[in-house]
């Protein structure tokens, strides 16, 4: 058995116009990309967040060039709103 990565909910620690919030995110080892694992696990995390934690909203974000993560977000029914674009502080260093 090997660890392939993680999917889950978190609270970002940086400030942006949409924080505080709950984010859904995923980080999988490259050899496990493209197999649907992130999408399947993210769907389960969304159900947990909405049904068990009673959250009103869950966000997700990525850099513009990360087409794979954007595709997962689309599969989850999320939509991109250009008004919500922002610079992630940790990426600016």
């Amino acid at each position: 058995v090997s660890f392939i990565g993680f999917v889950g909910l978190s609270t970002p620690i940086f400030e942006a116009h949409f924080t505080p919030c709950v984010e859904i995110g995923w980080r999988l080892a490259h050899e496990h990309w493209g197999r649907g694992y992130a999408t399947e696990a993210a769907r389960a995390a969304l159900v947990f967040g909405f049904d068990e934690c009673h959250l009103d909203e869950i966000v997700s974000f990525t850099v513009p060039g990360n087409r794979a993560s954007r595709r997962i977000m689309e599969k989850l029914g999320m939509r991109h709103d250009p008004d919500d674009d922002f610079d992630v502080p940790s990426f600016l260093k």
Side-chain angles (χ1 to χ4, degrees), residues 16-86:
H17 67 277
F18 55 83
T19 60
C21 66
V22 174
E23 172 206 8
I24 187 167
W26 42 87
R27 307 288 183 275
L28 299 183
H30 186 263
E31 61 268 22
H32 300 287
W33 291 5
R35 299 182 183 185
Y37 299 144
T39 303
E40 181 179 351
R43 280 192 181 117
L46 287 175
V47 168
F48 175 78
F50 288 124
D51 293 354
E52 300 297 322
C53 298
H54 307 288
L55 298 172
D56 293 325
E57 179 180 58
I58 299 172
V59 302
S60 190
F61 44 85
T62 190
V63 297
N66 189 338
R67 291 186 298 252
S69 282
R70 285 185 176 267
R71 181 69 185 126
I72 292 168
M73 293 172 196
E74 291 169 2
K75 288 179 183 179
L76 296 173
M78 297 179 145
R79 60 177 173 69
H80 175 231
D81 183 345
D83 292 336
D84 287 335
D85 286 355
F86 70 103

